[in-house]
Amino acid sequence: MTAITVRHETQDRFRISIRGHELLVDQPAPGGGDEGPTPTELFVASLAACAGFYARRFLARHGLPDGELAISCEFEWAPDHSRVASIALRVALPSGVPDGLEAPLLRVIEGCTVHKSIRQMPIVTYEITAATGGRELPIAVA
């Protein structure tokens, strides 16, 4: 299991630590300092990055160039702004990729781990703890 830690820094800015890597998430002004993507943007970006990873591996397996591979994406909020309602990904293939590989490549991309996790929602559990004297005490589990 990969441990990911999120620590509050200031206002709406949080620092995320993943296997020795760190990045910031923040909210746009006026609530935050806009020093990083929002958590929602990071969620959408993880789908695009996963699709890119799978696409690059597909190209490599077929001995095709991958240097100009690019994935762009856009998302829209649900009307009540409570969740992401739609995500559109566009895969720009490098020159030199022959016609006819679009359908198998699409199947591979749709099988990426993040996409599968969205389609078959994982079990999510929450545990609320309170810091007391430097140690965490379990309060509730849902």
Side-chain angles (χ1 to χ4, degrees):
M1 182 179 292
T2 300
I4 298 171
T5 305
V6 179
R7 298 216 185 273
H8 177 252
E9 288 197 339
T10 185
Q11 293 182 304
D12 289 332
R13 185 175 73 209
F14 290 81
R15 181 170 302 277
I16 302 172
S17 299
I18 308 168
R19 296 181 299 101
H21 303 282
E22 294 198 350
L23 57 124
L24 293 174
V25 293
D26 201 354
Q27 295 293 317
D34 203 13
E35 295 188 37
T38 68
T40 305
E41 291 166 336
L42 195 56
F43 160 69
V44 174
S46 71
L47 177 61
C50 192
F53 171 78
Y54 275 66
R56 195 212 66 81
R57 287 280 179 98
F58 175 89
L59 295 173
R61 275 194 312 276
H62 289 83
L64 298 168
D66 59 15
E68 299 168 13
L69 176 65
I71 292 79
S72 59
C73 65
E74 296 177 349
F75 71 96
E76 292 188 14
W77 290 99
D80 65 357
H81 211 73
S82 65
R83 64 181 183 82
V84 172
S86 65
I87 302 171
L89 280 79
R90 177 173 285 119
V91 179
L93 294 176
S95 54
V97 175
D99 290 340
L101 288 180
E102 294 86 354
L105 175 58
L106 182 59
R107 283 192 301 275
V108 166
I109 292 169
E110 288 176 336
C112 90
T113 306
V114 175
H115 192 197
K116 281 183 180 178
S117 299
I118 294 168
R119 293 184 71 168
Q120 185 175 351
M121 193 167 57
I123 297 168
V124 178
T125 61
Y126 295 90
E127 179 177 351
I128 308 294
T129 62
T132 307
R135 61 190 185 113
E136 294 181 352
L137 303 174
I139 295 174
V141 177

